[in-house]
Amino acid sequence: MSETPPLKRLYIKTYGCQMNVYDSERMADVLAPLGYGMTDAPEEADLVVLNTCHIREKATEKVYSELGYIKQMKQARAEAGATMTIAVAGCVAQAEGQEIMRRQPAVDLVVGPQAYHQLPELIARTHRARGERLAADFAADEKFDALPTARRPTGVTAFLTVQEGCDKFCTFCVVPYTRGGEWSRPADSILAEARGLAEQGVREITLLGQNVNAYDGAEGGLAGLVRALALIEGLDRIRYTTSHPRDMDEALIAAHAQVEALMPYLHLPVQSGSDKILKAMNRQHTAESYLRQIEKVRAARPDIAISGDFIVGFPGERESDFEATLSLIRQVGYASAFTFKYSRRPGTPASAMPGQIDEAVKDERLARLNALLEDQQKAFNAQQVGKVLPVLVERLGRHDGQLSGRSPYLQAVHMDGPAHLVGQIVPVRIEASARMSLSGQIQLETA
Ligand code: 5AD
Ligand code: SF4
């Protein structure tokens, strides 16, 4: 037998938010030293990880049904003399715990979101129990300290978790229960990771946190962190998400006016435009206070793209409350949005509230909400036609000779150009717009 164990294959299925996308990347990173390389084919995988999300209704049932399929793949591999380890990670793992293994015995491991750094150790134990050899053993301790410092970014953009958890307790939301309290990662370790990413060609980072603007791990909070990151050579673009209106402080607004690398895009969920509903949601802001903040942000950075999250059909939402949401949307003018029908999350205060709304009413409101927001998104995109925007070229496009990138406003931009431009910021004259993307021509030399 050779001294180096063969490469093992890892398949990760990611559900839900960007936080999970980030966590999945990190799981792949921490498992690489054990000899795991990624595959897109679950049936070929030695290790399958379902990185789950609990935010949407029926998420748990979807995970169990997916596990049913994966179990069959595990059996097929066993018949062929191979093994498969199945791990469930993320928020469903947190919420369900060992119940998952009781309901689906094919599952080998359950790892909550706070503990994914333990994955290598848990995997190593599973291998040892089977008498298999591994490329390396891995001792994990503190979540971030234990992660390898050298990450292999997969492109010119990367996510960076700087904050986790939530102390806000919106009455509809499970995050404060599944992710725990607000916690900020120390600035030194963020800056070290960001420098490493920049050295490997990353030009844009998105700082992630459930309440990212509550970040307090650096002097000056998130604004201080952004200013420090902006000094890193090669790091030309900084974004952050998701923010809470309560934590949108003057310093961060000022950074939007002063820090060139901070992109003109703000995802600031409002959820509803009705003060009665906002109160029942425990959002700790009013429609008016939200609008005032948007005004201040626009005063600092007039061209900023505003994005939001909206929930329709929260318990007690009347037609007039919903109309207040539409009215707020008309006043703001959103560049993009995520819309949700309220879904009852067991254990949250709102799930026990009277006045639950009929599904048909939710559907009808969602359709009206989406129609308005889609119009706004199209209008925002159409405004860019005729302008020359700096576009970060992220990858080759779908067709030969095509490139695809992002505008400062996070719009996807398609253009023709040579492959060597990937990773560069190029001026693009925007010629056409659709709801989801822009297209244009690269301006060579001086336009
Ligand atoms: N029902 C509907 N939408 C929800 N969200 C969170 N919890 C629920 C729920 N129970 C939405 C909110 C939040 C986004 C991430 O998900 O709009 O901002
Ligand atoms: Fe959930 Fe509200 Fe916290 Fe956002 S701020 S994670 S919606 S509790």
Side-chain angles (χ1 to χ4, degrees), residues 55 172-173 269 271 309-311 340-345:
I55 239 164
F172 51 80
C173 184
Q271 315 296 356
D309 290 346
F310 303 89
I311 297 177
F340 305 90
K341 282 193 285 180
Y342 170 70
S343 91
R344 268 170 121 154
R345 310 300 298 124

Side-chain angles (χ1 to χ4, degrees), residues 166 168-170 172-173 175-176 210-211 244 271 283:
C166 180
K168 306 290 189 299
F169 290 92
C170 299
F172 51 80
C173 184
V175 167
Q210 258 102 23
N211 277 268
H244 191 286
Q271 315 296 356
R283 286 290 295 176

Side-chain angles (χ1 to χ4, degrees), residues 15 66 71 81-82 88 112 146 157 160 176 183 213 216 299 306 332 359 362 403 410 415 441:
Y15 299 73
E66 184 77 24
K71 176 191 166 189
V88 180
T157 64
L160 202 54
W183 178 83
N213 60 343
D216 65 358
I306 306 288
V332 172
E359 232 20 59
K362 286 186 200 169
L403 300 172
L410 206 61
M415 66 232 128
Q441 299 286 336

Side-chain angles (χ1 to χ4, degrees), residues 125-378:
R125 280 209 217 113
T126 314
H127 283 291
R128 272 194 223 118
R130 290 193 193 131
E132 292 169 5
R133 283 159 52 91
L134 270 173
D137 277 344
F138 196 98
D141 76 55
E142 252 282 296
K143 180 164 180 172
F144 288 107
D145 294 349
L147 298 169
T149 41
R151 282 178 67 198
R152 284 167 295 97
T154 47
V156 297
T157 64
F159 293 121
L160 202 54
T161 289
V162 304
Q163 185 277 338
E164 280 196 46
C166 180
D167 298 336
K168 306 290 189 299
F169 290 92
C170 299
T171 53
F172 51 80
C173 184
V174 290
V175 167
Y177 309 96
T178 55
R179 292 268 173 172
E182 284 172 10
W183 178 83
S184 294
R185 182 179 173 194
D188 287 352
S189 108
I190 297 167
L191 290 167
E193 191 177 343
R195 273 185 218 108
L197 290 169
E199 278 161 18
Q200 291 172 85
V202 168
R203 307 286 306 269
E204 172 178 309
I205 54 167
T206 302
L207 307 176
L208 292 181
Q210 258 102 23
N211 277 268
V212 73
N213 60 343
Y215 177 81
D216 65 358
E219 206 163 315
L222 186 64
L225 181 66
V226 164
R227 287 177 191 272
L229 286 164
L231 300 175
I232 296 176
E233 188 155 348
L235 214 56
D236 296 303
R237 294 183 160 195
I238 302 168
R239 305 179 185 279
Y240 60 92
T241 198
T242 291
S243 296
H244 191 286
R246 289 269 316 208
D247 297 317
M248 201 67 218
D249 63 15
E250 303 286 338
L252 189 54
I253 295 174
H256 273 287
Q258 293 158 3
V259 181
E260 202 193 337
L262 186 57
M263 289 293 101
Y265 183 96
L266 174 63
H267 182 64
L268 196 64
V270 67
Q271 315 296 356
S272 170
S274 152
D275 286 343
K276 183 191 90 187
I277 297 297
L278 287 169
K279 194 159 198 300
M281 286 176 163
N282 190 31
R283 286 290 295 176
Q284 306 171 49
H285 61 78
T286 61
E288 191 50 43
S289 69
Y290 178 87
L291 288 168
R292 271 204 307 276
Q293 262 169 343
I294 297 291
E295 258 170 41
K296 280 190 200 160
V297 171
R298 285 216 164 108
R301 184 75 210 231
D303 62 334
I304 198 160
I306 306 288
S307 152
D309 290 346
F310 303 89
I311 297 177
V312 295
F314 186 84
E317 186 187 69
R318 300 225 176 103
E319 173 64 22
S320 57
D321 297 310
F322 174 65
E323 277 165 16
T325 301
L326 297 179
S327 155
L328 177 138
I329 292 170
R330 285 193 195 96
Q331 288 173 75
V332 172
Y334 284 89
S336 74
F338 299 91
T339 60
F340 305 90
K341 282 193 285 180
Y342 170 70
S343 91
R344 268 170 121 154
R345 310 300 298 124
T348 58
S351 71
M353 284 180 186
Q356 300 286 329
I357 306 295
D358 273 1
E359 232 20 59
V361 174
K362 286 186 200 169
D363 285 334
E364 188 261 345
R365 287 182 188 163
L366 184 69
R368 284 157 67 199
L369 181 75
N370 284 339
L372 174 59
L373 287 163
E374 283 170 19
D375 282 351
Q376 291 196 342
Q377 187 168 13
K378 279 188 216 151

